Amino acid sequence: MIIGKLSELEQTRKLYGAGLNRAFDFMLSTDFAQAADGRVDIIGDQMYGTVSIAQTATIADRKWEAHAQFADIHLLLEGEEELLAYAPASANNVPTEDHLDTKDYALFEQAEGGSEVRLAAGMFVVFLAGELHKPSCSRNGDTQIRKLVMKIDHALLL
């Protein structure tokens, strides 16, 4: 997992490879206040983003999710995502729903070593393939947020 602020990305982006930097280029060059909600292709199906409005849920009401082919970048555009849970990949995390082969996601009831991350508008987090997360959570749930979720094919990160 990588966490940071969009406003400070220019100082840290040299630490990352070409794949993440292509995504960061998109994030830095887009005026999201003017951007319409929906999907934007950056490199076709290998790298794309979706801007959307979401309702948060409590952390207890969300299942853990993980991806095998794609890394995720979650950039909070509006609101506060008080809790965005994270857990490292572990053989002890067993999916209750496995759609990795057809839709690149699996859901988990429990995850070993989970922790919480707080995002404010302008902050982002990168989840690499295999890392579990519970996006769009807040303490009380039912808070509206606007966010960009980017999908990056793992092959672009090698």
Side-chain angles (χ1 to χ4, degrees):
M1 178 185 75
I2 301 166
I3 188 168
K5 294 181 180 179
L6 194 59
S7 62
E8 298 172 358
L9 190 52
E10 285 297 342
Q11 293 84 29
T12 60
R13 65 185 294 173
K14 64 181 176 269
L15 302 171
Y16 309 112
L20 276 180
N21 274 298
R22 180 78 184 266
F24 293 155
D25 286 341
F26 172 76
M27 291 165 50
L28 290 166
S29 65
T30 302
D31 181 358
F32 290 106
Q34 303 299 317
D37 290 355
R39 180 175 161 150
V40 177
D41 289 335
I42 299 154
I43 307 176
D45 287 336
Q46 286 189 296
M47 183 184 296
Y48 59 91
T50 304
V51 176
S52 63
I53 294 174
Q55 292 297 122
T56 63
T58 64
I59 203 162
D61 289 335
R62 287 265 192 249
K63 291 184 179 183
W64 294 93
E65 66 180 64
H67 311 284
Q69 181 180 352
F70 288 92
D72 280 3
I73 300 178
H74 293 242
L75 170 62
L76 188 61
L77 303 172
E78 298 172 13
E80 187 168 342
E81 198 165 1
E82 294 177 329
L83 301 172
L84 189 137
Y86 160 81
S90 169
N92 294 327
N93 297 331
V94 179
T96 54
E97 294 180 43
D98 189 341
H99 305 281
L100 291 171
D101 291 337
T102 57
K103 297 181 181 178
D104 193 46
Y105 79 92
L107 299 176
F108 303 74
E109 292 292 333
Q110 298 178 357
E112 181 178 74
S115 61
E116 298 174 1
V117 176
R118 178 182 296 250
L119 294 183
M123 294 181 71
F124 68 90
V125 63
V126 179
F127 297 108
L128 300 175
E131 294 179 328
L132 280 70
H133 53 285
K134 286 187 180 188
S136 303
C137 296
S138 63
R139 294 227 181 267
N140 298 319
D142 203 32
T143 302
Q144 184 172 290
I145 59 174
R146 185 168 184 250
K147 68 190 302 186
L148 165 72
V149 177
M150 295 190 67
K151 298 289 192 176
I152 305 169
D153 191 305
H154 182 71
L156 295 175
L157 301 178
L158 302 177

